[in-house]
Every structure is written in structure tokens, then in C-alpha cells.
Amino acid sequence: MTQRTHDEPHGGALGSRLNWLRAAVLGANDGIVSTAGLVVGVAGATDSRSALLTAGLAGLLAGSMSMAAGEYVSVSTQRDSEKAALALEKRELREQPEAELRELTELLQERGLSPEVAREAAEQLTARDALRAHARVELGIDPDELTNPWHAAWASFLAFTVGALLPLLAIVLPPAGLRLVVTVLSVLAALVLTGYSSARMGAAAPGRAVVRNVAGGALAMAVTYVAGTLLGAAGA
């Protein structure tokens, strides 16, 4: 009888994948929605292709750099916190080994092990690698899989840029009479794809993610188009 392989991700591998997924999805969605809102708003005020291209490029560059910087700062702070927690745990293990062993035993008991089994497991884990055991059980941190701020920053930068290129090209390439329709349809289709993909990669139901993406993007484009139309009519 052939055994089925069990390839469900666990621990640090899942956390690393979700970190990349979060940065990439946020970057792509922000790139699509913010750039689409910008160029659709400008399209409501003017038919100038050069004005649309300038606004779209400015939004792409500003948004991609902002996303990258924000992710770098955010993930750097998280990494600093993880390293500080590991340093504190290392010091406690050095200064209070018995107290830390009791703490690990209690944590394992809380996870359903009997006192005897928990004590034996704690002793074995401590003998093998005390810091790693406490990091995973007590702190929920894998010392080998600390969050990487540069990975998150580059993922956000690239995802935002790729996402922003869609509405930018959709608004400047078609004839003037088709720009708005092509842009709106392209953006909504892209939001369906990113919502579905993010949900499936995160093992979640795609329905809600798709609805959230599409509704948010449609609202953003509607609001900015109305604002651009009013400003254009007022001669601003």
C-alpha cells in the first residue's frame, strides 16, 4: 500500500512563506489600486496622454519606494524584537537553568503532555538545544528563520511595481475613447486574480478575498474619477 506524502507546511517554513506572501500581496494590491485610482482620477480631469503618463509614473515610483521603505522598517523592528527576545532567553538559560527547565516542562504540559512525559521531553530538548527549544515552545520563534527585512522590502517594491504597471499601461496605450473602460476592466480582473491567488496560497477560501479586492478597487476608482471630473469641470 502506497503511503500518502504529507507536505503541509509547518513552523518556520510556513511563517517565512506567509511573510513573503503578505508583502507581495500588499504590494501588488496597493500598486494596482493606488495607481488605478490616480490615473483614473486624472483621466476624469483631462484627456492628455502625457499628463496621464506623468501622473502614473510618479505614482509608481513614489508608491514602490514607500512600500519598500515601510516594509523594511516594519520587518526590521520585528527582527530586532525577535533577536532581543532570544538574547534574553539565552541569558536566562545561563543564569537560571533549573527555572527555565521547569518553565519548559509547564509549557509542554499546557500543550497536553502528562507531567512525567513533559518533564522527560523538556530534559531531552534542553540537552539537545536549550535555546532552540525555548525559542520555539515559549517564544514561537525559529532561530534559523528570523524575518528578513530586505526580502520583505524587495518583495513589496517588485510587487507594487508590477501591479502599478497594469493600470498605467491600460490608461496610456488605448485610444482616448477606450482608456477608462480598458483600465477599469483590467484592474478589476487583476484584483480578482490577486485576491484568488493570495487566498489559495494561504490555504483560505478565495471568495471573501476576491470580493474585498474588487470592491475596494472599484470604490477607489469611482471616488477618484468623480473627484477628477469635478476638478476638471471647475477648471482646477
Side-chain angles (χ1 to χ4, degrees):
M1 180 177 179
T2 303
Q3 290 185 339
R4 296 176 58 186
T5 58
H6 184 65
D7 58 358
E8 179 183 357
H10 293 284
L14 178 59
S16 178
R17 191 183 78 171
L18 291 180
N19 184 53
W20 274 74
L21 175 63
R22 177 183 63 85
V25 170
L26 285 176
N29 281 343
D30 278 359
I32 294 169
V33 175
S34 63
T35 306
L38 178 62
V39 296
V40 166
V42 174
T46 179
D47 290 331
S48 171
R49 190 186 302 269
S50 62
L52 292 169
L53 179 60
T54 300
L57 284 175
L60 185 156
L61 292 173
S64 61
M65 294 302 297
S66 176
M67 282 292 297
E71 279 297 319
Y72 181 82
V73 171
S74 174
V75 177
S76 292
T77 301
Q78 179 182 344
R79 184 182 179 89
D80 290 344
S81 298
E82 291 173 343
K83 292 174 71 175
L86 288 173
L88 176 60
E89 195 64 36
K90 187 176 182 179
R91 186 173 71 249
E92 290 177 345
L93 284 167
R94 184 176 62 252
E95 297 174 353
Q96 309 170 51
E98 285 301 322
E100 289 299 300
L101 180 60
R102 287 195 300 271
E103 182 181 35
L104 182 58
T105 301
E106 292 170 358
L107 289 171
L108 293 173
Q109 285 183 247
E110 291 174 2
R111 297 191 174 191
L113 298 182
S114 66
E116 296 78 11
V117 174
R119 177 71 181 191
E120 182 179 355
E123 290 175 349
Q124 291 185 14
L125 290 171
T126 299
R128 179 176 300 176
D129 192 329
L131 180 59
R132 184 183 303 277
H134 280 266
R136 290 180 170 177
V137 177
E138 180 181 348
L139 304 176
I141 298 174
D142 187 341
D144 296 327
E145 295 288 344
L146 296 182
T147 52
N148 190 313
W150 285 109
H151 289 172
W154 277 111
S156 293
F157 178 86
L158 293 174
F160 187 100
T161 300
V162 171
L165 282 173
L166 175 68
L168 175 58
L169 295 177
I171 202 74
V172 299
L173 293 181
L178 296 176
R179 287 174 184 165
L180 191 61
V181 173
V182 170
T183 301
V184 170
L185 292 179
S186 299
V187 167
L188 294 181
L191 292 176
V192 169
L193 179 61
T194 56
Y196 179 84
S197 298
S198 65
R200 296 303 298 170
M201 291 178 67
R208 290 185 178 181
V210 170
V211 170
R212 284 195 300 264
N213 273 11
V214 172
L219 179 61
M221 289 187 290
V223 170
T224 55
Y225 181 75
V226 170
T229 301
L230 293 176
L231 289 172

